[in-house]
């Protein structure tokens, strides 16, 4: 008698059952967060920034740097630089295991209200034209595409990617 072949069920945990992490309230980052910022940055970008580069950003009064903590440490952050009534988003990153739980959304909303409170009327940013996650985050928060920089980013494999310039009015 031929024994029927057994089908092994796919035991991957469905996305819906992933437990939502406990995020803290957004807080201003300090120079002492530089090493954690650098380590987190390396998880999101091919060309990461060193701890000393973050120290410079975190001690620059023109930069606004806000992070969110999870139980084990820094979960994500968003940094911008303010000049007069304009601001530019410098970077945003969330730890890979904590993505898709609303952390970046929380950081962005918090950031935009802090910038508005400082009198910022317009926020700009550049984003890799193929970064679907970031594009979706910015579009759903009212950023519009206002330009394209051809072959602006260098990928780890040597290829080049366009940057989209996006803008959101806070007025
Ligand atoms: C982009 C990034 C910051 C998003 O962080 P996140 O905490 O996972 O985002 P959130 O859970 O807050 O998602 C908010 C919105 O962003 C969009 N989004 C986030 N991740 C997405 C994905 N993988 N695919 C499509 N849309 C995505 C969605 O519109 C989402 O809203 P929804 O959940 O209602 O669909 C994160 O993927 C990251 O750190 N990536 C690496 C670094 C990077 O690319 N930074 C942006 C450089 S400009």
């Amino acid at each position: 008698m031929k024994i029927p072949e057994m089908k092994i069920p796919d035991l991957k945990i469905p996305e819906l059952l992933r437990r939502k992490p406990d995020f803290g309230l957004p807080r201003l980052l300090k120079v002492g967060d530089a090493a954690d910022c650098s380590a987190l940055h390396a998880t999101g970008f091919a060309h990461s920034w060193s701890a000393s580069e973050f120290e410079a950003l975190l001690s620059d009064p023109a930069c606004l740097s806000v992070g969110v903590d999870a139980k084990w440490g820094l979960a994500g952050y968003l940094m911008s630089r303010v000049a007069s009534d304009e601001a530019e988003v410098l970077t945003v990153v969330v730890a890979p295991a904590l993505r898709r739980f609303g952390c970046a959304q929380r950081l962005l909303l918090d950031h935009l209200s802090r910038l508005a409170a400082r009198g910022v009327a317009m926020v700009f940013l550049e984003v890799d034209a193929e970064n679907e996650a970031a594009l979706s985050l910015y579009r759903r928060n009212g950023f519009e595409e206002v330009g394209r920089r051809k072959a602006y980013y260098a990928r780890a494999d040597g290829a080049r990617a366009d940057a989209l310039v996006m803008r959101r009015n806070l007025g």
Side-chain angles (χ1 to χ4, degrees):
M1 189 180 106
K2 191 169 180 247
I3 299 168
E5 211 176 285
M6 267 182 66
K7 277 224 161 122
I8 299 170
D10 183 357
L11 292 176
K12 269 190 272 173
I13 301 171
E15 197 70 8
L16 276 173
L17 296 182
R18 284 172 71 211
R19 198 163 163 263
K20 188 169 169 131
D22 295 324
F23 293 124
L25 289 176
R27 66 168 174 95
L28 288 176
L29 296 178
K30 307 177 297 290
V31 176
D33 292 306
D36 289 344
C37 287
S38 175
L40 209 48
H41 196 267
T43 69
F45 300 95
H47 301 283
S48 56
W49 299 349
S50 67
S52 54
E53 285 172 295
F54 275 102
E55 275 175 20
L57 290 172
L58 292 167
S59 49
D60 182 347
C63 289
L64 178 62
S65 305
V66 178
V68 156
D69 295 302
K71 271 187 190 140
W72 45 267
L74 193 60
Y77 57 84
L78 196 156
M79 295 183 178
S80 65
R81 182 180 279 122
V82 179
S84 181
D85 64 347
E86 292 186 355
E88 180 194 6
V89 174
L90 301 176
T91 190
V92 52
V93 64
V94 172
L98 303 176
R99 291 182 190 162
R100 298 309 316 249
F101 287 117
C103 187
Q105 178 67 26
R106 183 184 294 207
L107 280 165
L108 186 56
L109 288 180
D110 175 86
H111 217 88
L112 295 178
S113 63
R114 287 180 199 256
L115 290 174
R118 283 191 181 197
V120 169
M122 198 71 84
V123 184
F124 291 90
L125 58 85
E126 277 153 9
V127 55
D128 184 326
E130 288 162 35
N131 188 341
E132 290 303 330
L135 282 171
S136 171
L137 170 71
Y138 297 137
R139 285 183 180 133
R140 92 192 280 267
N141 285 284
F143 282 83
E144 292 172 341
E145 198 180 315
V146 290
R148 177 180 283 259
R149 299 198 166 120
K150 287 270 177 205
Y152 186 73
Y153 295 114
R155 293 204 192 288
D157 63 4
R160 310 287 303 184
D162 291 356
L164 295 183
V165 182
M166 301 185 91
R167 181 180 70 190
R168 156 122 191 220
N169 194 337
L170 289 185

